[in-house]
Amino acid sequence: MTLADVFPAEPFNGLQVSYSVSGAGLSAPKDSEGFTCYRELEGKLTGNELTVSGTASAGSGWGATIDVSVSVNGQEPKSFHQEKFPKNGLAGDVMNQPFSVTVPVPSDAKEASFTISLEGSYNAGSRGVVVEASLNRSYSMPVEETKIDAAAKTSEKTYCCKGSCNYKRWWPETKSEEGSDSVLKTMSDSGARFSGLTGEVSIRPAGNEYAWRGAGLKSIINIDDHVRTGEDSRAIISFPDMTTFILNPESEVVIDAPPEKDSKIALVCGKVWTNLKKMIKDGSMEVQMSQATVGIKGTTIVCEETGDSSTLKVLEGTASFKSRYSGEEVLVRAGEMVTATESGLSRSQSFDIETENADFGPYASKIDIAKPKESEVIYDSWNIDSVNNAPACSPVFAIDEPHMITYIDTYHWNWGKGTTSAGTIALKNGDGEIFGPWAVTLESGSGVANVWWISHPDEFIPAGTYSVVDSDPDTWSWNSQSSCGFTKIEGYAYDSEAGGLATSLSKSQSPYAGEVEGSASSPSIETISTIDAPSASSGLGELLYSDDFSDMNSGWARKSSDPDKGNMGYENGRYNIIRKKPGLSWSYPPDSQIFKDFVIEAETSQEEGPDNNQYGLVLRRDTSGNYYCFQISGTGNYRFDINQKGQWTEIVPNTWSSKINVGNAKNILRVKCKGDRFTFYANGAKIGEAQDSNIPAGRIGLAAGALDNQTVHISFDNLKIWAMGL
């Protein structure tokens, strides 16, 4: 179990430490300020090895020194030391020093300690950041009765969210007790991160309602942490699966998002907007409120909590809403809202989707909200002829754009006996990927019980060819007219006007305040050599292009067309792009080869500059100058955009991923491009996907961008392009 945090939440005189600890359970930190920001930790030894690791960052002053020491049973500590004093100071050459110290912990060891000390040197003297911990094998995590706990003994209404104590404590508040797994859970990284903050946003660990501290973009959000927004404040929280939560002013949530399949948050009070950017096939997201629980998959919703009532509004897709008191559960569709109280669920009412979405200002405006659509028949093999059991094939259908699947049925006459129990129905695409399986309800027909299997998946599937999978094929009905099993499928197209995977969205501002600049070597006339992939692709095919940039004559641009904005060229066996002013610089290889379906991979490295940057891969740049751009940033975000006629359109917004190495670090990026589908990888792990059909083929390139006037330096190596494999 690894416990992680960032201290302080915002850099102190440019100093900040990101750290993680494994082999111990830690209590809530005690922080103090001064010329040195000091954090004191206590905790319990839990493993046979103690590891303290992280990154020390310093961005101002003349230089900085990082010292880390770890000791067990008072023995000579194991230490790490590094310093950086650039000629012109840290402002132009920041420190981002990783560290890791591991010490074995014998089974009879009773105590241990560690210290992380980052000291910066300035004209006015030194400043520092120190994290210090004392660990003991028999340490008992404190269970302190707070003022609110005491009040709970005499009053049920105890919680103060907006200044008045009118909220019942219904949400789980983890208590750290000796011998309990909650000791470790309380400070375990949830994988969620802040991707946007305005105004006053605070975060605290579970079990200590007085440990609020300011939140920053680099703050680590641990499992069961509370996040709240003040007046005129908002927070955007992104999860590794691309799910986004926007907290409106005066709201509070509890994060419970371990890396397992199912994730939860609790809405303590206020109003939150939630978008599951992609369908979660193997799990779900749950929003817990005082009066009801929301279950969502591939859905955009708004939840509002007052303490006495819980309201669900569905902007796109569907969501289940279950009363915590009566147990009643309903399916709420786009444009509908339901309120839960202690009396149960209200009747469904309509609301204006655009007005509700606008309440979250520009933070939600980049995601188009689907208007309710009527389902249409996608496939139907039903007929009135006599039937047999056990078809020799499964029904197959094809869709050329993403669809919301609202209804599927199969027929099980089974010689007039029906079925004894309900099974499942699923869909399988051409790559063998399973969507579902979905539970069915049983209905009678023709005087026989349980012959109709009916499911309402209400989930999105991408364009492709699908076969229907019935869990009981031996009783599935068919005849010569149907050829395969009886089934009916309904849904509606989920195109670019509806969001979802088909995310060629409305135009948004360019991610760059400045203009875009590109460079290429001759020839100036492009020769088209289109590469088509085999129809089924899962691996890598023929290697079509590679460059390790060891040969300075391999043909890439050696200088920028505008040196005032930046530069590019070969250095130290890598290809470098330097951007000095706001905007994007890109370069592409000289052979002018056009790629259609392919896999591209490159090693990238942030060499210098602020973490708030963009860099990555140019895809399918056509003869009109239109192209896609997949980029990551030093803050751990990725995005996917299209540039057409000089105008940017956002396809995937800035989304945080734990798989992206932050700061001055290396990242291996890979993108699979097949038809209108794009799949994104960072360091070997899939982090996202998108769908857009505007540009079918084009050239590739490398890109780096600055968002302000601070110089960004990115280097690239080991660029490879393959045909899609079989």
Side-chain angles (χ1 to χ4, degrees), residues 87 332 416 441 487 555:
K87 180 179 180 181
V332 186
T441 57
T487 192

Side-chain angles (χ1 to χ4, degrees), residues 206-468:
N208 190 341
E209 299 186 34
Y210 299 100
W212 291 102
R213 64 185 188 275
L217 287 176
K218 292 187 178 181
S219 295
I220 291 175
I221 306 175
N222 291 310
I223 296 174
D224 288 339
D225 272 2
H226 289 236
V227 176
R228 74 178 179 190
T229 53
E231 186 177 358
D232 298 326
S233 303
R234 282 188 172 93
I236 304 175
I237 301 175
S238 298
F239 288 74
D241 66 1
M242 299 171 64
T243 297
T244 300
F245 284 86
I246 304 176
L247 278 67
N248 253 9
E250 298 180 312
S251 299
E252 181 176 338
V253 296
V254 184
I255 304 298
D256 184 358
E260 289 83 13
K261 294 179 180 178
D262 299 318
S263 300
K264 298 181 180 68
I265 74 160
L267 177 57
V268 173
C269 60
K271 195 172 184 180
V272 62
W273 180 100
T274 305
N275 174 249
L276 269 73
K277 191 64 180 175
K278 66 176 183 177
M279 181 183 65
I280 306 173
K281 300 191 298 297
D282 300 322
S284 63
M285 172 65 76
E286 191 174 275
V287 180
Q288 298 176 335
M289 295 190 284
S290 69
Q291 310 297 323
T293 299
V294 184
I296 46 181
K297 280 189 174 187
T299 311
T300 305
I301 64 171
V302 168
C303 296
E304 190 165 4
E305 176 61 48
T306 69
D308 295 318
S309 66
S310 305
T311 300
L312 166 66
K313 299 177 181 178
V314 179
L315 283 70
E316 171 247 348
T318 60
S320 65
F321 198 45
K322 184 176 182 179
S323 170
R324 296 169 66 94
Y325 288 89
S326 67
E328 178 186 3
E329 185 172 9
V330 296
L331 191 67
V332 186
R333 301 180 183 276
E336 298 177 347
M337 59 179 285
V338 176
T339 296
T341 64
E342 293 184 1
S343 301
L345 302 181
S346 71
R347 290 184 178 182
S348 174
Q349 297 179 344
S350 61
F351 70 96
D352 186 84
I353 294 177
E354 293 183 358
T355 300
E356 188 63 38
N357 198 53
D359 187 46
F360 289 83
Y363 308 99
S365 62
K366 293 180 181 179
I367 300 177
D368 289 345
I369 302 302
K371 305 296 188 296
K373 292 190 175 183
E374 294 294 329
S375 293
E376 298 178 349
V377 175
I378 298 172
Y379 180 92
D380 187 358
S381 61
W382 281 75
N383 60 78
I384 61 174
D385 292 352
S386 59
V387 297
N388 301 305
N389 277 3
C393 60
S394 296
V396 175
F397 68 96
I399 51 176
D400 58 8
E401 55 185 329
H403 272 65
M404 164 73 87
I405 303 300
T406 59
Y407 176 91
I408 305 179
D409 69 25
T410 57
Y411 189 54
H412 294 256
W413 170 253
N414 193 24
W415 312 117
K417 295 181 290 186
T419 58
T420 58
S421 60
T424 61
I425 302 174
L427 298 176
K428 182 169 70 172
N429 69 12
D431 293 332
E433 188 175 11
I434 296 293
F435 294 79
W438 302 292
V440 302
T441 57
L442 300 176
E443 290 192 11
S444 302
S446 303
V448 178
N450 303 336
V451 293
W452 265 312
W453 285 20
I454 299 175
S455 177
H456 296 276
D458 289 309
E459 291 190 4
F460 301 107
I461 62 173
T465 300
Y466 293 85
S467 60
V468 180

